[in-house]
Amino acid sequence: VVILTGFPCCMTHDPPTETDGPPGAACLVRCVTALGCRATLVTDDCNIGGVREAASGLEVVVESFPPHVAGAPPLDPAYTGRSRIDRLAAAADLIIAIERSGPGTDGHCRTMRGKDMTSAGIIAPLHDVVVKARR
């Protein structure tokens, strides 16, 4: 089970991580592993500290990805983490996204107030895991 989390919407803070996604994702990890499944927790590089802390002591692989370049196409083959995203998509039996932004029609991820996280260079294209798995 791949669990995508992290919504770097607190753009003026360091780190910009919101606070309910990582512990919610950790709760999902507990459920998944109690059912005998393996879990991988995936987030943006800027969120890794809070996500690792929330997952501390749990049986889970934690991975982080660098930000996406504004204006890059969907499933951009030049993206630094492309092979890892493709691997996660291929290996996943189930993908859960908790507190995670996806791109709008312009390809940019925004906060609930409309602030552009893609142009700010803080959000990874983790939505590509879902897109790739659906193909």
Side-chain angles (χ1 to χ4, degrees):
V1 177
V2 174
I3 302 169
L4 308 174
T5 193
F7 193 87
C9 61
C10 302
M11 295 169 60
T12 60
H13 296 98
D14 186 21
T17 312
E18 48 74 37
T19 57
D20 52 348
C27 288
L28 288 172
V29 168
R30 287 181 187 271
C31 295
V32 164
T33 56
L35 293 170
C37 299
R38 290 186 320 257
T40 302
L41 196 49
V42 183
T43 194
D44 314 272
D45 283 350
C46 66
N47 296 321
I48 191 63
V51 171
R52 278 210 174 114
E53 184 65 29
S56 178
L58 301 178
E59 293 181 37
V60 63
V61 173
V62 180
E63 291 193 41
S64 70
F65 286 80
H68 194 249
V69 176
L75 298 173
D76 180 9
Y79 173 64
T80 306
R82 175 62 42 217
S83 63
R84 291 173 45 220
I85 281 181
D86 292 350
R87 177 185 47 80
L88 284 170
D93 291 317
L94 176 66
I95 301 167
I96 301 171
I98 179 170
E99 292 291 323
R100 190 70 209 157
S101 178
T105 56
D106 65 354
H108 289 236
C109 296
R110 289 187 165 70
T111 69
M112 48 284 215
R113 291 190 173 102
K115 295 186 180 187
D116 189 344
M117 295 180 288
T118 302
S119 291
I122 58 175
I123 195 160
L126 302 183
H127 53 275
D128 282 355
V129 175
V130 176
V131 173
K132 185 76 174 188
R134 293 183 72 183
R135 291 190 171 181

